[in-house]
Amino acid sequence: MKLLIAIAIMAVVSVAGSKITFLGRRLPLGFRNILFTGSEYIFIGILLGGMGLNILDGPTLEMLQPFLIFGLSWIGFLYGVQFEVRFMRHLPRYYFSITALQGTITFIVITGLFYMVLNGTAELIGSSRLMLSLILGATGACTAQSAIAIVNRNYRIQNRSLVELLRYISSVDGLFALGFLVVSLSMAAGFRGASFSVQSFLLNAGLSLIIGIVPAIILILLSRVRFTQQEFLVFIVGAIMFNGGLAIHMDQSPLVSGLVCGIIVANLCRHRLRAMEIVMHAEKSIYIILLLFLGANWQPTIGPGLLLAAVYPLFRITGKTAGMWLAIKRFKPRFPAPSSLGLGLISEGGLAVAIVLDFCMLYPLYAKPLITIIIVSIFINELLSPRLILAQFQGAEKL
């Protein structure tokens, strides 16, 4: 009975939440950004979880795991189906170069700083310190578009080229974050034995990238026959569901395999735009479900986890600032760009949540510290990011 109640509540909250907006102009930008990203649903998840009504307790969450797998596979597919090579070729090449260098430096800085901090933690062995550092580096590498959209909607900005660069980076750097997730998961597979196995590392990396090919081929073949919009919806849902199930059966990431599936569909399926329209229509509902899972799984404790949660935003700001500074110096934009532009990229958003949930589902040992860190970080980053973005634009006028 509790499972049915949990499913009903999650369905109602996700559907109703996708129809509600709180973008009132009277709220400060930071709070408006928090509401725009849906972060308040984390509190609903906490209320429903073990610290609240205990509807989403441990056994119930375990039985609801197929919904989590489907949601992660959906988010991965949604992200991948937007990467059409023909479209990206029309954009300046140095945009991609700046994004790649910025994301890589951010990952290296966060991973390195965290590993040094965790070296003083007696509770974690060497491989656990490395794994926690790697996954935090991966989550820190991505950027949400919400804060940039909030600023762009409420202010008249003269340097439109700089806005477009920030929007491009926030759209594409998640691809590198998911690449770093593959590295993290493959490293975890390599450490499963008594010593690190290069063979296990390579096998895991290969499998995670190959699994998404099978559902993509099936979807492309199905799309070559005549079908109605409702039938195509069934094709999409079936392919995403099959992708997630196959990934978990092979002990791999449904988020990564969904990404691969989406990229293949984006470049080889003639109905790419229809597929993207379908998955984007349900994006907010799926994201709300992930936030409910995140809140329900939170088990805060006073200890090193809270300290790590406090320093993670600082490490992320350091990585973003250093990465963007180096990227601008190396690949000079053809328009004015401040050296502090990395401060405009600290909004974290949904992909970071998906990465953490994906990793914790496969390696639950890391769930407690990672979920604490990501929840604290989301609220800090979303609160500060709009003002830090505004600081990069001189002469911005409020509409």
Side-chain angles (χ1 to χ4, degrees), residues 234-267:
V234 173
F235 295 164
I236 294 288
V237 172
I240 293 174
M241 192 178 297
F242 175 62
N243 172 81
L246 182 61
I248 288 299
H249 179 71
M250 301 293 291
D251 201 20
Q252 298 298 317
S253 162
L255 183 63
V256 173
S257 60
L259 170 75
V260 174
C261 181
I263 291 175
I264 294 173
V265 170
N267 292 277

mmCIF file of all heavy atoms in Angstrom, residues 234-267:
data_model
loop_
_atom_site.group_PDB
_atom_site.id
_atom_site.type_symbol
_atom_site.label_atom_id
_atom_site.label_comp_id
_atom_site.label_asym_id
_atom_site.label_seq_id
_atom_site.Cartn_x
_atom_site.Cartn_y
_atom_site.Cartn_z
ATOM 1 N N VAL A 234 5.246 6.122 -28.107
ATOM 2 C CA VAL A 234 5.474 4.768 -27.582
ATOM 3 C C VAL A 234 6.866 4.278 -27.980
ATOM 4 O O VAL A 234 7.566 3.655 -27.169
ATOM 5 C CB VAL A 234 4.387 3.794 -28.082
ATOM 6 C CG1 VAL A 234 4.715 2.358 -27.674
ATOM 7 C CG2 VAL A 234 3.026 4.198 -27.542
ATOM 8 N N PHE A 235 7.292 4.562 -29.214
ATOM 9 C CA PHE A 235 8.632 4.170 -29.658
ATOM 10 C C PHE A 235 9.704 4.814 -28.762
ATOM 11 O O PHE A 235 10.651 4.146 -28.324
ATOM 12 C CB PHE A 235 8.878 4.615 -31.106
ATOM 13 C CG PHE A 235 8.007 3.943 -32.125
ATOM 14 C CD1 PHE A 235 7.887 4.458 -33.402
ATOM 15 C CD2 PHE A 235 7.306 2.783 -31.812
ATOM 16 C CE1 PHE A 235 7.093 3.844 -34.354
ATOM 17 C CE2 PHE A 235 6.496 2.152 -32.756
ATOM 18 C CZ PHE A 235 6.388 2.685 -34.022
ATOM 19 N N ILE A 236 9.549 6.120 -28.506
ATOM 20 C CA ILE A 236 10.532 6.854 -27.705
ATOM 21 C C ILE A 236 10.581 6.299 -26.280
ATOM 22 O O ILE A 236 11.661 5.999 -25.743
ATOM 23 C CB ILE A 236 10.194 8.362 -27.667
ATOM 24 C CG1 ILE A 236 10.340 8.987 -29.058
ATOM 25 C CG2 ILE A 236 11.082 9.081 -26.663
ATOM 26 C CD1 ILE A 236 11.745 9.148 -29.529
ATOM 27 N N VAL A 237 9.418 6.177 -25.657
ATOM 28 C CA VAL A 237 9.357 5.682 -24.282
ATOM 29 C C VAL A 237 9.931 4.263 -24.197
ATOM 30 O O VAL A 237 10.697 3.933 -23.289
ATOM 31 C CB VAL A 237 7.907 5.711 -23.753
ATOM 32 C CG1 VAL A 237 7.813 5.006 -22.400
ATOM 33 C CG2 VAL A 237 7.422 7.154 -23.625
ATOM 34 N N GLY A 238 9.582 3.431 -25.166
ATOM 35 C CA GLY A 238 10.088 2.065 -25.169
ATOM 36 C C GLY A 238 11.591 2.003 -25.319
ATOM 37 O O GLY A 238 12.264 1.228 -24.629
ATOM 38 N N ALA A 239 12.140 2.820 -26.225
ATOM 39 C CA ALA A 239 13.590 2.824 -26.435
ATOM 40 C C ALA A 239 14.330 3.308 -25.193
ATOM 41 O O ALA A 239 15.356 2.734 -24.799
ATOM 42 C CB ALA A 239 13.934 3.708 -27.641
ATOM 43 N N ILE A 240 13.812 4.363 -24.561
ATOM 44 C CA ILE A 240 14.457 4.895 -23.358
ATOM 45 C C ILE A 240 14.360 3.895 -22.205
ATOM 46 O O ILE A 240 15.317 3.685 -21.451
ATOM 47 C CB ILE A 240 13.824 6.244 -22.972
ATOM 48 C CG1 ILE A 240 14.152 7.299 -24.025
ATOM 49 C CG2 ILE A 240 14.306 6.702 -21.600
ATOM 50 C CD1 ILE A 240 13.452 8.633 -23.820
ATOM 51 N N MET A 241 13.200 3.249 -22.089
ATOM 52 C CA MET A 241 13.018 2.254 -21.040
ATOM 53 C C MET A 241 13.950 1.056 -21.261
ATOM 54 O O MET A 241 14.587 0.552 -20.325
ATOM 55 C CB MET A 241 11.556 1.802 -21.018
ATOM 56 C CG MET A 241 11.164 0.987 -19.802
ATOM 57 S SD MET A 241 9.405 0.552 -19.860
ATOM 58 C CE MET A 241 8.656 2.196 -19.789
ATOM 59 N N PHE A 242 14.025 0.603 -22.504
ATOM 60 C CA PHE A 242 14.907 -0.517 -22.833
ATOM 61 C C PHE A 242 16.362 -0.145 -22.584
ATOM 62 O O PHE A 242 17.154 -0.955 -22.072
ATOM 63 C CB PHE A 242 14.708 -0.926 -24.293
ATOM 64 C CG PHE A 242 15.644 -1.993 -24.773
ATOM 65 C CD1 PHE A 242 15.637 -3.256 -24.194
ATOM 66 C CD2 PHE A 242 16.542 -1.740 -25.799
ATOM 67 C CE1 PHE A 242 16.509 -4.246 -24.627
ATOM 68 C CE2 PHE A 242 17.418 -2.722 -26.237
ATOM 69 C CZ PHE A 242 17.394 -3.980 -25.654
ATOM 70 N N ASN A 243 16.727 1.089 -22.926
ATOM 71 C CA ASN A 243 18.090 1.560 -22.701
ATOM 72 C C ASN A 243 18.451 1.512 -21.217
ATOM 73 O O ASN A 243 19.516 1.016 -20.842
ATOM 74 C CB ASN A 243 18.228 2.988 -23.231
ATOM 75 C CG ASN A 243 19.560 3.616 -22.864
ATOM 76 O OD1 ASN A 243 20.562 3.370 -23.514
ATOM 77 N ND2 ASN A 243 19.581 4.433 -21.824
ATOM 78 N N GLY A 244 17.564 2.035 -20.365
ATOM 79 C CA GLY A 244 17.836 2.035 -18.929
ATOM 80 C C GLY A 244 17.927 0.642 -18.357
ATOM 81 O O GLY A 244 18.826 0.331 -17.557
ATOM 82 N N GLY A 245 16.997 -0.246 -18.777
ATOM 83 C CA GLY A 245 17.017 -1.617 -18.286
ATOM 84 C C GLY A 245 18.258 -2.368 -18.717
ATOM 85 O O GLY A 245 18.867 -3.109 -17.924
ATOM 86 N N LEU A 246 18.669 -2.178 -19.972
ATOM 87 C CA LEU A 246 19.870 -2.850 -20.478
ATOM 88 C C LEU A 246 21.112 -2.352 -19.749
ATOM 89 O O LEU A 246 22.005 -3.145 -19.403
ATOM 90 C CB LEU A 246 19.997 -2.598 -21.985
ATOM 91 C CG LEU A 246 21.179 -3.260 -22.698
ATOM 92 C CD1 LEU A 246 21.086 -4.779 -22.582
ATOM 93 C CD2 LEU A 246 21.241 -2.827 -24.165
ATOM 94 N N ALA A 247 21.173 -1.046 -19.490
ATOM 95 C CA ALA A 247 22.327 -0.481 -18.799
ATOM 96 C C ALA A 247 22.459 -1.049 -17.386
ATOM 97 O O ALA A 247 23.549 -1.475 -16.971
ATOM 98 C CB ALA A 247 22.220 1.040 -18.749
ATOM 99 N N ILE A 248 21.366 -1.078 -16.646
ATOM 100 C CA ILE A 248 21.414 -1.600 -15.280
ATOM 101 C C ILE A 248 21.715 -3.096 -15.276
ATOM 102 O O ILE A 248 22.451 -3.598 -14.419
ATOM 103 C CB ILE A 248 20.096 -1.302 -14.551
ATOM 104 C CG1 ILE A 248 20.007 0.187 -14.241
ATOM 105 C CG2 ILE A 248 19.975 -2.097 -13.266
ATOM 106 C CD1 ILE A 248 21.113 0.712 -13.342
ATOM 107 N N HIS A 249 21.156 -3.831 -16.234
ATOM 108 C CA HIS A 249 21.435 -5.263 -16.324
ATOM 109 C C HIS A 249 22.926 -5.524 -16.539
ATOM 110 O O HIS A 249 23.472 -6.516 -16.027
ATOM 111 C CB HIS A 249 20.628 -5.883 -17.465
ATOM 112 C CG HIS A 249 20.866 -7.347 -17.651
ATOM 113 N ND1 HIS A 249 20.408 -8.293 -16.748
ATOM 114 C CD2 HIS A 249 21.531 -8.040 -18.628
ATOM 115 C CE1 HIS A 249 20.778 -9.501 -17.153
ATOM 116 N NE2 HIS A 249 21.457 -9.371 -18.291
ATOM 117 N N MET A 250 23.582 -4.625 -17.279
ATOM 118 C CA MET A 250 25.019 -4.753 -17.538
ATOM 119 C C MET A 250 25.857 -4.014 -16.499
ATOM 120 O O MET A 250 27.066 -3.868 -16.662
ATOM 121 C CB MET A 250 25.341 -4.206 -18.935
ATOM 122 C CG MET A 250 24.601 -4.900 -20.066
ATOM 123 S SD MET A 250 25.097 -6.607 -20.287
ATOM 124 C CE MET A 250 26.760 -6.391 -20.896
ATOM 125 N N ASP A 251 25.185 -3.530 -15.419
ATOM 126 C CA ASP A 251 25.862 -2.808 -14.336
ATOM 127 C C ASP A 251 26.538 -1.542 -14.851
ATOM 128 O O ASP A 251 27.665 -1.202 -14.463
ATOM 129 C CB ASP A 251 26.884 -3.722 -13.653
ATOM 130 C CG ASP A 251 27.231 -3.241 -12.235
ATOM 131 O OD1 ASP A 251 26.448 -2.465 -11.661
ATOM 132 O OD2 ASP A 251 28.304 -3.621 -11.711
ATOM 133 N N GLN A 252 25.833 -0.832 -15.722
ATOM 134 C CA GLN A 252 26.357 0.394 -16.311
ATOM 135 C C GLN A 252 25.421 1.558 -16.030
ATOM 136 O O GLN A 252 24.338 1.402 -15.469
ATOM 137 C CB GLN A 252 26.545 0.215 -17.820
ATOM 138 C CG GLN A 252 27.530 -0.861 -18.207
ATOM 139 C CD GLN A 252 28.928 -0.589 -17.713
ATOM 140 O OE1 GLN A 252 29.408 0.544 -17.806
ATOM 141 N NE2 GLN A 252 29.589 -1.611 -17.194
ATOM 142 N N SER A 253 25.829 2.746 -16.466
ATOM 143 C CA SER A 253 25.089 3.977 -16.197
ATOM 144 C C SER A 253 23.973 4.200 -17.214
ATOM 145 O O SER A 253 24.247 4.339 -18.416
ATOM 146 C CB SER A 253 26.046 5.166 -16.221
ATOM 147 O OG SER A 253 25.351 6.384 -16.369
ATOM 148 N N PRO A 254 22.703 4.266 -16.779
ATOM 149 C CA PRO A 254 21.613 4.595 -17.724
ATOM 150 C C PRO A 254 21.715 6.026 -18.236
ATOM 151 O O PRO A 254 21.239 6.333 -19.330
ATOM 152 C CB PRO A 254 20.349 4.384 -16.888
ATOM 153 C CG PRO A 254 20.784 4.475 -15.468
ATOM 154 C CD PRO A 254 22.198 3.973 -15.434
ATOM 155 N N LEU A 255 22.328 6.906 -17.455
ATOM 156 C CA LEU A 255 22.507 8.296 -17.878
ATOM 157 C C LEU A 255 23.454 8.382 -19.066
ATOM 158 O O LEU A 255 23.169 9.059 -20.060
ATOM 159 C CB LEU A 255 23.032 9.122 -16.701
ATOM 160 C CG LEU A 255 23.231 10.619 -16.921
ATOM 161 C CD1 LEU A 255 21.917 11.304 -17.231
ATOM 162 C CD2 LEU A 255 23.882 11.263 -15.683
ATOM 163 N N VAL A 256 24.571 7.680 -18.992
ATOM 164 C CA VAL A 256 25.565 7.716 -20.075
ATOM 165 C C VAL A 256 25.047 6.998 -21.314
ATOM 166 O O VAL A 256 25.179 7.501 -22.438
ATOM 167 C CB VAL A 256 26.892 7.087 -19.608
ATOM 168 C CG1 VAL A 256 27.871 6.962 -20.771
ATOM 169 C CG2 VAL A 256 27.513 7.917 -18.487
ATOM 170 N N SER A 257 24.449 5.816 -21.131
ATOM 171 C CA SER A 257 23.927 5.083 -22.295
ATOM 172 C C SER A 257 22.782 5.863 -22.953
ATOM 173 O O SER A 257 22.631 5.836 -24.176
ATOM 174 C CB SER A 257 23.464 3.688 -21.876
ATOM 175 O OG SER A 257 22.444 3.754 -20.902
ATOM 176 N N GLY A 258 21.991 6.571 -22.150
ATOM 177 C CA GLY A 258 20.947 7.422 -22.711
ATOM 178 C C GLY A 258 21.529 8.550 -23.535
ATOM 179 O O GLY A 258 20.990 8.917 -24.592
ATOM 180 N N LEU A 259 22.641 9.118 -23.076
ATOM 181 C CA LEU A 259 23.335 10.166 -23.827
ATOM 182 C C LEU A 259 23.781 9.646 -25.186
ATOM 183 O O LEU A 259 23.555 10.294 -26.221
ATOM 184 C CB LEU A 259 24.544 10.661 -23.032
ATOM 185 C CG LEU A 259 25.503 11.590 -23.779
ATOM 186 C CD1 LEU A 259 24.906 12.972 -23.919
ATOM 187 C CD2 LEU A 259 26.852 11.670 -23.070
ATOM 188 N N VAL A 260 24.422 8.476 -25.204
ATOM 189 C CA VAL A 260 24.902 7.888 -26.457
ATOM 190 C C VAL A 260 23.727 7.617 -27.395
ATOM 191 O O VAL A 260 23.783 7.922 -28.595
ATOM 192 C CB VAL A 260 25.685 6.594 -26.180
ATOM 193 C CG1 VAL A 260 26.070 5.906 -27.488
ATOM 194 C CG2 VAL A 260 26.928 6.891 -25.353
ATOM 195 N N CYS A 261 22.652 7.052 -26.853
ATOM 196 C CA CYS A 261 21.457 6.787 -27.648
ATOM 197 C C CYS A 261 20.916 8.077 -28.263
ATOM 198 O O CYS A 261 20.578 8.129 -29.452
ATOM 199 C CB CYS A 261 20.402 6.119 -26.768
ATOM 200 S SG CYS A 261 18.856 5.708 -27.611
ATOM 201 N N GLY A 262 20.847 9.144 -27.464
ATOM 202 C CA GLY A 262 20.333 10.421 -27.955
ATOM 203 C C GLY A 262 21.205 11.034 -29.036
ATOM 204 O O GLY A 262 20.692 11.580 -30.023
ATOM 205 N N ILE A 263 22.524 10.946 -28.883
ATOM 206 C CA ILE A 263 23.433 11.511 -29.888
ATOM 207 C C ILE A 263 23.278 10.787 -31.223
ATOM 208 O O ILE A 263 23.259 11.416 -32.293
ATOM 209 C CB ILE A 263 24.894 11.432 -29.389
ATOM 210 C CG1 ILE A 263 25.102 12.399 -28.221
ATOM 211 C CG2 ILE A 263 25.867 11.759 -30.510
ATOM 212 C CD1 ILE A 263 26.471 12.314 -27.587
ATOM 213 N N ILE A 264 23.168 9.462 -31.166
ATOM 214 C CA ILE A 264 22.999 8.690 -32.408
ATOM 215 C C ILE A 264 21.683 9.057 -33.084
ATOM 216 O O ILE A 264 21.626 9.265 -34.307
ATOM 217 C CB ILE A 264 23.059 7.179 -32.109
ATOM 218 C CG1 ILE A 264 24.461 6.798 -31.623
ATOM 219 C CG2 ILE A 264 22.700 6.369 -33.350
ATOM 220 C CD1 ILE A 264 24.572 5.371 -31.134
ATOM 221 N N VAL A 265 20.611 9.140 -32.309
ATOM 222 C CA VAL A 265 19.309 9.511 -32.864
ATOM 223 C C VAL A 265 19.359 10.923 -33.450
ATOM 224 O O VAL A 265 18.796 11.191 -34.518
ATOM 225 C CB VAL A 265 18.214 9.405 -31.787
ATOM 226 C CG1 VAL A 265 16.895 10.009 -32.267
ATOM 227 C CG2 VAL A 265 17.996 7.944 -31.388
ATOM 228 N N ALA A 266 20.040 11.841 -32.773
ATOM 229 C CA ALA A 266 20.118 13.225 -33.247
ATOM 230 C C ALA A 266 20.767 13.328 -34.609
ATOM 231 O O ALA A 266 20.408 14.203 -35.413
ATOM 232 C CB ALA A 266 20.892 14.069 -32.233
ATOM 233 N N ASN A 267 21.709 12.448 -34.912
ATOM 234 C CA ASN A 267 22.481 12.574 -36.147
ATOM 235 C C ASN A 267 22.087 11.580 -37.243
ATOM 236 O O ASN A 267 22.462 11.767 -38.398
ATOM 237 C CB ASN A 267 23.971 12.412 -35.828
ATOM 238 C CG ASN A 267 24.517 13.565 -35.006
ATOM 239 O OD1 ASN A 267 24.862 14.603 -35.538
ATOM 240 N ND2 ASN A 267 24.582 13.387 -33.691
#
